[in-house]
Amino acid sequence: MLRFILLSALAVAGLAFSPHTTTTTLPSSTALKMASSVEEVKVGDTIPSITLAEGAADYGSPTQIDIAELIKGKKVAIFAVPGAFTPGCSKSHLPSFITAQEDLKSKGVEMTICIATNDAYVMEAWGRTSGGADAGIRFLSDSNAELSRALGLSIEGGILVRSQRYSLIAEDGVVTHYFSAAKQSSDTWAPNVLAAL
């Protein structure tokens, strides 16, 4: 304990007498800010042409994928999460879509896509280790939050911009159903999506 106190005191003293001082000004509010410059996506909107990345096994180079081209001519379920490997996303949201794949297909959904602002390597690892990729779900990285911002669903703040939690159904690129987590997260889970189809 004495060693810890002594080292802490030396570190503070070293910083205090350092010729290179840095002043950091923190914003008056550290609260995360939801995107406000773009209106939130709604039924009837078209999914924009934005390039996302899909990771490859064994750390292969990610593939660049235009989301509009990927979903063109298809009925798809898209759900986004604030972060891969996070508790709510890994324990509830993603598993709800893993177990619902057959039911979604019976409703005409041809592809399910999971999106987060994590990089493509993290998304590939999450898909592989969660069982989501084996269930047929595509895991795409929106690492620059371009899609999240274009849909009015980014959470701005800190180092990493995240996506709000949402789900939607799109047919030939047009949103036919939209599910927001504004009231409760479970509104975006697969059972709620299925009930609306």
Side-chain angles (χ1 to χ4, degrees):
M1 181 68 172
L2 181 59
R3 177 190 247 175
F4 175 76
I5 294 170
L6 182 59
L7 288 174
S8 297
L10 287 173
V12 170
L15 290 175
F17 294 105
S18 171
H20 305 288
T21 58
T22 304
T23 304
T24 303
T25 305
L26 295 175
S28 59
S29 170
T30 57
L32 296 177
K33 297 180 177 118
M34 303 299 185
S36 59
S37 60
V38 176
E39 185 177 321
E40 185 174 342
V41 67
K42 62 187 176 306
V43 170
D45 287 350
T46 299
I47 302 296
S49 176
I50 290 178
T51 301
L52 303 177
E54 185 169 36
D58 299 319
Y59 306 104
S61 295
T63 303
Q64 302 301 303
I65 295 176
D66 181 322
I67 186 73
E69 285 299 314
L70 179 65
I71 67 174
K72 186 176 185 178
K74 299 179 185 82
K75 182 176 183 178
V76 299
I78 298 174
F79 68 99
V81 297
F85 290 107
T86 57
C89 306
S90 295
K91 292 181 179 181
S92 302
H93 202 174
L94 173 57
S96 78
F97 277 91
I98 291 172
T99 59
Q101 285 304 290
E102 290 305 315
D103 292 333
L104 286 165
K105 288 176 185 170
S106 74
K107 300 283 188 173
V109 173
E110 301 166 68
M111 181 186 301
T112 301
I113 302 166
C114 176
I115 297 174
T117 58
N118 299 94
D119 67 49
Y121 299 101
V122 170
M123 292 299 287
E124 185 280 327
W126 192 39
R128 179 174 29 85
T129 60
S130 67
D134 288 339
I137 298 172
R138 304 275 299 263
F139 287 77
L140 302 183
S141 166
D142 182 23
S143 62
N144 295 322
E146 290 179 52
L147 181 62
S148 300
R149 287 180 174 132
L151 297 178
L153 294 168
S154 65
I155 302 172
E156 305 286 336
I159 295 170
L160 178 66
V161 177
R162 296 198 180 263
S163 174
Q164 292 181 41
R165 183 182 307 282
Y166 68 88
S167 295
L168 62 82
I169 300 293
E171 292 189 43
D172 196 21
V174 178
V175 178
T176 59
H177 298 79
Y178 171 64
F179 308 89
S180 168
K183 291 182 182 174
Q184 55 187 5
S185 294
S186 61
D187 289 343
T188 65
W189 298 351
N192 195 50
V193 173
L194 283 165
L197 296 180

